[in-house]
Amino acid sequence: QVQLVESGGGLVQPGGSLRLSCAASGFAFDYYPMGWFRQAPGKEREGISCISGNDASTYYADSVKDRFTISRDNAKKTVYLQMNSLKPEDTAVYYCAADVNFYYCSNASHTRWGQGTQVTVSS
């Protein structure tokens, strides 16, 4: 069955960096667009970065553009999110998602989710 396991979250000071990883199994990882979403308390889950399955094209929400970098290693079936210059407003639970709607970086009816990892940006 499809499994997505996130790691790398934690507490970091403003201006710091974290790297999230998502290890995938149970499906043909190479072919599917992957995404990172986040949900802050009291807010809806939002797609912040997505990467296509064929040519590794990328999408970034304006809120993270030029600070976050998404990448994938098909051999390791892993997708990464490098987060730099973190701000308190980046505090949220971050979710890895498989088979997303890449063009809108949104979930689709067949999107699968990881369990989430907490990222807290605070001094």
Side-chain angles (χ1 to χ4, degrees), residues 1 3-5 8-9 14 19 33 41 50 53 56 60 64 69 75-76 79 87 89-90 93-94 105 110 117-118 120:
Q1 70 276 21
Q3 278 197 314
L4 301 169
V5 180
R19 189 195 196 202
C50 289
Y60 297 96
V64 305
T69 303
K76 294 183 178 180
V79 61
K87 306 174 181 180
E89 51 263 44
D90 293 318
V93 178
Y94 283 69
C105 198
H110 34 71
T117 185
Q118 177 70 45
T120 302

Side-chain angles (χ1 to χ4, degrees), residues 29-34 50-60 70-74 79 102-103:
F29 178 81
D30 306 30
Y31 299 102
Y32 287 94
M34 301 291 293
C50 289
I51 186 166
S52 68
N54 49 6
D55 61 359
S57 297
T58 57
Y59 164 92
Y60 297 96
I70 191 171
S71 61
R72 64 191 298 159
D73 185 333
N74 288 343
V79 61
F102 171 75
Y103 297 102

Side-chain angles (χ1 to χ4, degrees), residues 73-94:
D73 185 333
N74 288 343
K76 294 183 178 180
K77 296 188 176 182
T78 301
V79 61
Y80 304 97
L81 186 68
Q82 177 67 43
M83 305 187 295
N84 299 328
S85 303
L86 282 161
K87 306 174 181 180
E89 51 263 44
D90 293 318
T91 296
V93 178
Y94 283 69

Side-chain angles (χ1 to χ4, degrees), residues 27-48:
F27 65 103
F29 178 81
D30 306 30
Y31 299 102
Y32 287 94
M34 301 291 293
W36 286 98
F37 293 66
R38 68 184 181 188
Q39 187 166 20
K43 294 189 176 182
E44 292 188 356
R45 190 175 299 189
E46 60 169 340
I48 57 170

